Amino acid sequence: MSELVPGGNVPLPAGALTVRVPGPFDVSALVTDDGGRVGGDGDFVFYNHPTAPGARLRGDTLALEPAGLRAGATRVTVVVSAADPDTALARLPAPTLHVADRQGRPLARFTPPPVRQERVLLLAEVYRRGGVWKLRAVGQGYADGLAGLARDFGVDVVEDEPAPAHPSASPTPPTRVPVRPSARLPGGPSAPPAHGPARTSPPPTRVPARRPTPPASPTPPAERPAPDPDGFLTLVNPARATAGSPPVSIDARLARAAREHAAAMAAAGRLGTEGGDGVSVHQRLTAAGYRCLAVGEQLVSGPRTPAEFVAYCLRTDRTRRTLHDPAFVHTAVAQVTDGRTGDTYWTALWASPLTPDGLARTAAEVVDLTNRERTRAGLRPLAVDRSLTAAAQAYSTDMAARAFYSHTSPEGAQPWDRAAAAGSSLRTIGENIACGQRSAAEVVEGWMNSPGHRANILKPAFTHIGVGFESGGPSGTYWTQLFGG
C-alpha cells in the first residue's frame, strides 16, 4: 500500500475501486473532463444525488468504476466537508482517504496537512493519463467554501444577497453546489418574519438550471403493447425471469422518449441524461405523456446490436440491477448512429406508471420509514395530516413541472406559506426536499445522512407529516416531506 503526500500519485489497477473517508465528514465527488469542467448536474455526486455513471456514494464510501464514467470524463475529484455545517474543518480530526481495489485490498492512503480556515477540501483525484488511471493526493482547501470550489471547476456562480438577520432565525450555512453555468448559491437561509410560527428548512443541495418543461399530463390507462421490431423483449424477459422478476412490455410512450433521447445524444456526440438540446431523458418521458412511479434508464455507446446491448447491461452491476428490477412493467429501447463518427448511442427506458394507489403506497412507505427512525430515537411517530399532504404533493408536482429545486418557489413562497394555503393551522413547520432518488428507502436514507434533514425528521416538536412525490423534470423524481407541530 502507498502512503501518499500532497502531489504524490500512484497507478491504479483496472476495474472497480472504493474510496472511503471515515469520520464526521460529508463525502462528494465531481466528474470532469480534461479541462476540469463538469458537464451538468449529473456530474456532482453527493448524499442527495448518490449515483452517476461509474460512481455511487453510500455513506462514507464512494464506489468507482472508471471505465463506466460518462463519455469524455477523465477525472473524478473527491471532496470532503464537515458533516455538521456549523463545525469548521479545523475543529475536526484530519480526514484520511483510504483507496482499495474491488477485492478490498488496500491500494493507497492519504492524510492531508491540517487546515486552517478552509471549509471545503479537495482530497484527491482519480484521473486518466495515457490510458492508465491514477490516484493523485491533493489536499487543497477553499476558505470561501463551496462557491470557491464551484468557480474553480468553471462554474459561473451568482450569489444571492444574504437574508436579513433576525433573532428567531437559526442560520444554516449554505450547502448547495451549482453544477452548471448560471446556477445560484444561497447567501443564507430565509429569516422568518418577526412574529409567527417557527420554521426550519435545510437548504437544498442542488438547484438545476431552470428551463421550460412540458406540463405533466396524467398517465392514460394502460395502452396496448407496442410492437417490438428489435426483439428486445425476447432478450430481456428471459433475463428477468432468471432473477425472478415479471416480464415487461414495450410502451409506445417510452419508445418515443427513447428515440428522441438517443437522437439528441448522437447529435451532441456524447452520453448524458441531458441531450445537447438541454432536455433530460425524464422530461422527454413527461412530454410523451408518461408519469412514472418508478423509472430507470440505461445510456450506452458502443454495442452494435440489441443482443450486444443487453449483454453489456448484464455484465455491469448497476445496469443489471435496472434490467432485473421487479418494479418495472414497461420498457423500450432505441439506437441512433452519429454519422460523423459512426458511434451508436443507445437509450433504454424502464418504468412503471404513476397511479393513485401506487402514489399512496409510496407516500405511506416514506412515512413508515420516517417513523421507524423516530422510534429508534425514542420519539413518538408522526401522524399523517391531510393539509400537509396536499401541500407536499402540490410542491413536488410544481418542482417537476417547472424544473426548479428549492425550498422557495419561483414566486417566493416558503414551506409555511404552502402549509397555511393548504389549510394547515399547525404553528411549527419544516420541510425536506430531494430529487433523483428512485425509491422511498433511498430518499429517506439520503435525508438521514444529511444533518439538517435528519434534524427535521427527528425533531421532537413535530407531530404531523405530509409526503409528496412527482416524476419528470431534469432529475426524474421530486420528493417533499412537510412537517408540522
Side-chain angles (χ1 to χ4, degrees):
M1 182 182 68
S2 299
E3 290 279 357
L4 299 178
V5 297
N9 66 80
V10 61
L12 297 169
L17 307 165
T18 59
V19 178
R20 180 170 176 259
V21 186
F25 306 104
D26 273 341
V27 181
S28 55
L30 288 152
V31 180
T32 61
D33 56 20
D34 281 330
R37 299 182 65 86
V38 296
D41 58 356
D43 282 348
F44 179 47
V45 179
F46 61 109
Y47 66 81
N48 221 17
H49 181 254
T51 60
R56 180 175 181 84
L57 179 66
R58 182 175 291 276
D60 62 6
T61 302
L62 177 70
L64 287 178
E65 181 69 63
L69 296 173
R70 66 164 175 85
T74 58
R75 186 186 307 171
V76 178
T77 302
V78 181
V79 181
V80 294
S81 55
D84 180 355
D86 292 325
T87 301
L89 278 176
R91 295 174 56 190
L92 300 176
T96 298
L97 179 85
H98 301 265
V99 181
D101 64 13
R102 66 169 69 241
Q103 283 79 36
R105 292 179 297 225
L107 298 173
R109 185 167 58 195
F110 170 58
T111 302
V115 298
R116 295 182 181 179
Q117 75 274 24
E118 292 87 352
R119 292 167 48 200
V120 178
L121 187 65
L122 269 65
L123 200 52
E125 294 177 338
V126 175
Y127 66 101
R128 187 174 64 202
R129 183 66 51 83
V132 177
W133 286 91
K134 297 183 177 183
L135 172 72
R136 177 190 294 121
V138 180
Q140 176 185 351
Y142 286 83
D144 54 348
L146 296 175
L149 174 64
R151 292 189 184 96
D152 192 62
F153 279 83
V155 180
D156 180 17
V157 179
V158 181
E159 295 186 275
D160 293 339
E161 290 297 319
H166 188 275
S168 63
S170 299
T172 301
T175 57
R176 282 183 284 178
V177 174
V179 291
R180 61 164 68 110
S182 299
R184 302 181 69 86
L185 285 174
S190 296
H195 303 284
R199 295 116 182 185
T200 57
S201 299
T205 52
R206 177 154 56 96
V207 181
R210 300 176 186 177
R211 60 172 64 89
T213 305
S217 47
T219 298
E223 298 182 348
R224 295 175 60 185
D228 182 22
D230 296 317
F232 190 53
L233 295 182
T234 63
L235 297 167
V236 301
N237 278 334
R240 287 174 63 85
T242 63
S245 299
V248 290
S249 62
I250 301 291
D251 185 276
R253 295 159 295 181
L254 269 63
R256 170 187 158 188
R259 285 194 303 271
E260 291 177 353
H261 198 71
M265 290 193 300
R270 61 176 176 83
L271 295 172
T273 55
E274 288 188 359
D277 56 1
V279 180
S280 77
V281 64
H282 309 292
Q283 288 172 304
R284 299 186 206 281
L285 270 173
T286 303
Y290 196 107
R291 292 176 68 202
C292 307
L293 181 62
V295 60
E297 70 280 344
Q298 293 157 330
L299 311 176
V300 178
S301 177
R304 295 164 296 178
T305 66
E308 289 185 5
F309 173 81
V310 172
Y312 167 82
C313 292
L314 290 173
R315 285 198 305 268
T316 306
D317 182 62
R318 181 176 58 86
T319 52
R320 182 171 57 249
R321 286 198 307 269
T322 299
L323 192 151
H324 285 164
D325 195 326
F328 299 135
V329 299
H330 294 137
T331 190
V333 67
Q335 63 186 94
V336 175
T337 300
D338 181 351
R340 299 161 298 181
T341 64
D343 293 334
T344 300
Y345 292 85
W346 295 79
T347 298
L349 297 176
W350 308 79
S352 58
L354 181 60
T355 63
D357 287 347
L359 178 60
R361 286 194 304 271
T362 298
E365 188 175 358
V366 172
V367 173
D368 179 62
L369 291 169
T370 299
N371 280 334
R372 290 185 194 182
E373 297 294 345
R374 288 179 64 88
T375 300
R376 289 192 189 101
L379 300 172
R380 295 182 63 182
L382 302 171
V384 175
D385 180 87
R386 181 177 300 178
S387 297
L388 296 181
T389 298
Q393 182 58 46
Y395 198 56
S396 285
T397 300
D398 192 28
M399 286 191 292
R402 293 200 284 173
F404 74 94
Y405 179 68
S406 172
H407 288 292
T408 304
S409 76
E411 293 76 29
Q414 301 291 336
W416 42 91
D417 300 321
R418 294 188 284 274
S424 175
S425 59
L426 296 167
R427 289 187 54 79
T428 303
I429 297 295
E431 182 180 77
N432 287 345
I433 59 175
C435 62
Q437 291 76 11
R438 303 305 174 87
S439 69
E442 187 178 344
V443 74
V444 174
E445 179 184 12
W447 281 327
M448 288 300 293
N449 285 336
S450 161
H453 298 85
R454 178 187 179 94
N456 267 349
I457 289 175
L458 301 182
K459 186 168 184 175
F462 289 145
T463 56
H464 292 79
I465 187 175
V467 173
F469 168 86
E470 187 59 85
S471 67
S475 297
T477 58
Y478 292 79
W479 305 78
T480 302
Q481 281 183 316
L482 199 56
F483 304 92

